[in-house]
Amino acid sequence: MGLFDRLKNFKKQLDKVETSIYTGKQSFLEVYELNLKLEAEIAQRTKELDTANQQMLTLQHILDMMNSSKPLSSVLNAIVTSLQGELGYLHSCIAKKMIDGHGEYLKMMAYSGSMFEAIFRSTFNCEPSEKRFIYPDLNEVYDAIDNDTIYTSKDIIKLVKSTLYDVSDEIIRKELNRTGTRSYILIPLTYNQSHFGSLVVFSSREDATENELKFLKLFSKQIELAITIAGLFQTVKEQAVTDGMTGLYNRRYFEEFVQKEAIRSKRQNTKFSIIGIDLDYLKKINDKFGHNYGDMAIKAISEVLKSSCRTIDIAARMGGEEFNVILPGVDTQGGLIFAERIRKTIESIPLEKIGHITASIGVGTYMEHSDDIDELEELVDHAMYESKRGGRNRVTVAKPASETSWQDVAINAFTDILSKHRIPLDKRTSNMLNKKLQEMNINNDMLYQVSDTLISTYNPDHIAGVTKKKVILATLLAKRFELPKENIDKLKIAILLYDIGNTMLPKDILAKKTPLSDEERDSIKQHPLIAAREILKPISDIGDIIPIIEKHHENWNGSGYPEHLSGDNIPIESQIILIVDSYFALIEDRPYRKAMSNQDAIKTILVESGTKWSVALADEFASVINNEDFND
């Protein structure tokens, strides 16, 4: 092969190598470019996945808040915090639409972000939640709300100025630049099929992505669900402590609060006053105009209390036509001024058909009139009652505890019974009860505990706390008949002592589950006389209590015992003991029947009107039970 041929062959081989190298280079470049694309796509997908994970985490936080039954304020704060921290928004807030006599306005329910704090502290020297905002004057925002659609905009100054017209553009622009805020997104929120308010998020991005808007729409639905659940929880919570008719706190909440206030008062060495208010002539209003107008009068007083009380005061409907107000940090003089203002305001209100109503009011102060809560409440109750007996529509200040002594009489009676062994009671129990009596200056409930313990010696099924409930119920009923204070005090002592004669009866008779024989029945009928004559008569302080106890089993139609008295020959106090005792017997289990419901027991009470008790007493009793919650 010649030189030329060899050169030609070498060139062909060189061309093949070049072609191969070029082809390989192209393939490499294609692979490289493909890898770059894949890496970019992976990075994008990773970013989207991170965003999705953050979104899911935020949703999970909201779900956790809903499942924990947190109050609405906590749920809303968690929402805005999550939006700022987990989803990267610069600021966020939730504003609720409110309406009052001055028109529509916005209330900041929750917020997160330095922009709000900076603007409010520099301009208003307050927190955003303390400011009343005018409603946004933005047609596009109204359109979004009406159509329940998300609205986005870069014109943040216009949004802020529409609600905070007294903030300068310079301050707003300064804060926007400092925080790098470029746009905002407004998401309408719905609650109970009406506009609740708006969620507003402020972003460093000028434009929102489609996926971002989709998520925020989904997120808004979770917020609405959270608001609904939190709202229901709050409603249930409020219903547990509030009176359904008036919206004031109920007796249960009052009793819990006043105990806490007493602890705080002692710790800080401050006083507080209790105001007792009783609507005058409610029965006459009901009889003349109907119960709807009686309810109107009760609601009128509640509205006076709502408008007159400070935020730290506690106003409660105690039941029926009675109200109590706690005034923290207020002494007797301040309580008297408040009570007189309340009295005048109530008297000045004209009501349809009724005209003007009045109220009888009592005032008592912790650590002035008594340092025992139960005793103070009773002193206020007596003062309120004295206002009623003194002509109504007046304010009476409570007398010091030293002048009120029905408890002392009861303590002395129990001490005499126990120390002189007037009833068959073992020494250990007797000593324990005497110790409780000595602690009476610490807790008036000891008096009821002593009575409960004595009853339990012959009735093991006796429920602790029933004695106190009987005293409360009997007192409420006595007030319906306007008994003097001294008569009510005698009634209270009689409630504590009337059954003590049962301790002298054979236990096999008391525990018997089969019908009693005539002889056994006669023994049972003797227990009021045993209590009155053998146990209590030697005690000098309670001579005027004994007739009440002797006659508490007499029936209105004369069929009772031991003297077969009838009608008004039976002391009203004895009649009250009988009906109260019968009611509690009906709502408790017995060997021969199950406990009745409150309403079934009332029906039974009413059926026996005119036989066991008067129609008037039965009617008033039913009214008291239906208006009180002391059995809860």
Side-chain angles (χ1 to χ4, degrees), residues 95-99 104 135 144-148 187-198 220-221 223-225 227-228:
K96 181 179 180 181
K97 184 176 73 171
M98 310 288 284
I99 301 175
E104 291 183 333
Y135 204 66
I145 290 173
D146 291 340
N147 297 318
D148 193 25
I187 307 99
L189 301 174
T190 300
Y191 174 63
N192 281 345
Q193 299 181 334
S194 61
H195 177 61
F196 172 84
S198 297
S220 70
K221 297 305 176 187
I223 295 175
E224 291 168 359
L225 181 59
I227 291 171
T228 300

Side-chain angles (χ1 to χ4, degrees), residues 243-283:
D243 172 64
M245 178 191 294
T246 64
L248 298 176
Y249 289 111
N250 59 19
R251 176 190 291 272
R252 182 189 297 110
Y253 183 84
F254 177 89
E255 297 296 354
E256 291 175 357
F257 185 90
V258 75
Q259 293 294 336
K260 295 176 183 177
E261 184 63 20
I263 294 172
R264 188 192 67 80
S265 180
K266 282 186 176 179
R267 185 176 64 248
Q268 299 181 1
N269 194 31
T270 59
K271 300 175 181 179
F272 68 88
S273 291
I274 297 179
I275 311 297
I277 303 144
D278 188 286
L279 169 64
D280 293 330
Y281 300 116
L282 176 62
K283 188 175 186 303

Side-chain angles (χ1 to χ4, degrees), residues 152-164:
T152 64
S153 176
K154 300 174 187 176
D155 195 351
I156 305 174
I157 293 180
K158 184 178 180 181
L159 174 70
V160 176
K161 288 290 289 185
S162 68
T163 54
L164 300 178

Side-chain angles (χ1 to χ4, degrees), residues 96-216:
K96 181 179 180 181
K97 184 176 73 171
M98 310 288 284
I99 301 175
D100 63 11
H102 301 287
E104 291 183 333
Y105 68 98
L106 290 177
K107 178 178 177 61
M108 191 78 76
M109 303 297 288
Y111 64 93
S112 178
S114 59
M115 182 178 75
F116 293 105
E117 295 173 4
I119 289 177
F120 277 84
R121 288 174 183 166
S122 63
T123 306
F124 305 110
N125 194 29
C126 71
E127 295 296 321
S129 57
E130 300 171 358
K131 175 73 174 173
R132 175 193 174 104
F133 305 93
I134 63 171
Y135 204 66
D137 187 18
L138 298 171
N139 291 332
E140 53 269 35
V141 170
Y142 280 122
D143 291 339
I145 290 173
D146 291 340
N147 297 318
D148 193 25
T149 58
I150 293 177
Y151 175 74
T152 64
S153 176
K154 300 174 187 176
D155 195 351
I156 305 174
I157 293 180
K158 184 178 180 181
L159 174 70
V160 176
K161 288 290 289 185
S162 68
T163 54
L164 300 178
Y165 55 87
D166 40 4
V167 179
S168 69
D169 290 5
E170 181 182 353
I171 290 177
I172 299 173
R173 189 174 293 106
K174 179 181 177 182
E175 290 303 320
L176 295 179
N177 291 335
R178 184 180 68 81
T179 58
T181 308
R182 298 289 179 266
S183 65
Y184 72 89
I185 307 171
L186 183 143
I187 307 99
L189 301 174
T190 300
Y191 174 63
N192 281 345
Q193 299 181 334
S194 61
H195 177 61
F196 172 84
S198 297
L199 166 68
V200 184
V201 294
F202 296 84
S203 175
S204 60
R205 300 177 293 275
E206 291 194 354
D207 297 301
T209 66
E210 184 178 350
N211 286 337
E212 181 181 9
L213 297 179
K214 286 182 179 179
F215 169 75
L216 287 173

Side-chain angles (χ1 to χ4, degrees), residues 299-471:
K299 291 176 182 177
I301 291 182
S302 71
E303 292 304 314
V304 170
L305 296 181
K306 289 176 186 177
S307 62
S308 302
C309 289
R310 303 168 298 173
T311 55
I312 61 172
D313 299 334
I314 296 297
R317 183 187 179 203
M318 304 301 285
E321 65 270 42
E322 290 190 18
F323 304 82
N324 275 2
V325 180
I326 300 174
L327 303 175
V330 176
D331 61 11
T332 299
Q333 187 60 33
L336 185 60
I337 293 171
F338 175 89
E340 186 60 29
R341 185 170 71 247
I342 289 291
R343 185 195 67 77
K344 289 180 179 178
T345 304
I346 292 172
E347 184 182 28
S348 68
I349 299 173
L351 296 179
E352 179 187 352
K353 287 190 178 181
I354 301 174
H356 292 271
I357 58 173
T358 61
S360 300
I361 303 177
V363 179
T365 302
Y366 189 65
M367 295 199 297
E368 281 189 33
H369 296 101
S370 175
D371 58 0
D372 179 276
I373 288 299
D374 289 337
E375 189 171 55
L376 178 62
E377 288 185 41
E378 190 161 323
L379 293 174
V380 172
D381 196 59
H382 285 321
M384 179 176 66
Y385 192 62
E386 286 304 310
S387 291
K388 193 172 289 291
R389 287 182 55 79
R392 296 178 169 81
N393 190 25
R394 63 186 62 200
V395 177
T396 301
V397 176
K399 296 179 181 179
S402 59
E403 298 181 27
T404 305
S405 59
W406 78 265
Q407 296 98 330
D408 292 334
V409 174
I411 292 170
N412 291 338
F414 277 126
T415 301
D416 185 285
I417 291 168
L418 294 169
S419 61
K420 296 181 180 178
H421 307 290
R422 299 190 187 280
I423 58 175
L425 196 64
D426 65 271
K427 186 175 181 180
R428 180 175 174 276
T429 302
S430 180
N431 290 338
M432 180 268 290
L433 293 179
N434 266 316
K435 183 179 179 181
K436 285 184 179 291
L437 291 172
Q438 293 170 11
E439 295 172 346
M440 274 297 299
N441 61 329
I442 300 174
N443 186 349
N444 271 347
D445 274 353
M446 294 295 184
L447 187 56
Y448 301 113
Q449 291 176 23
V450 170
S451 181
D452 283 334
T453 303
L454 283 176
I455 296 171
S456 297
T457 61
Y458 61 84
N459 179 13
D461 297 325
H462 176 73
I463 301 172
V466 167
T467 302
K468 183 175 182 179
K469 291 181 178 180
K470 286 182 177 180
V471 170

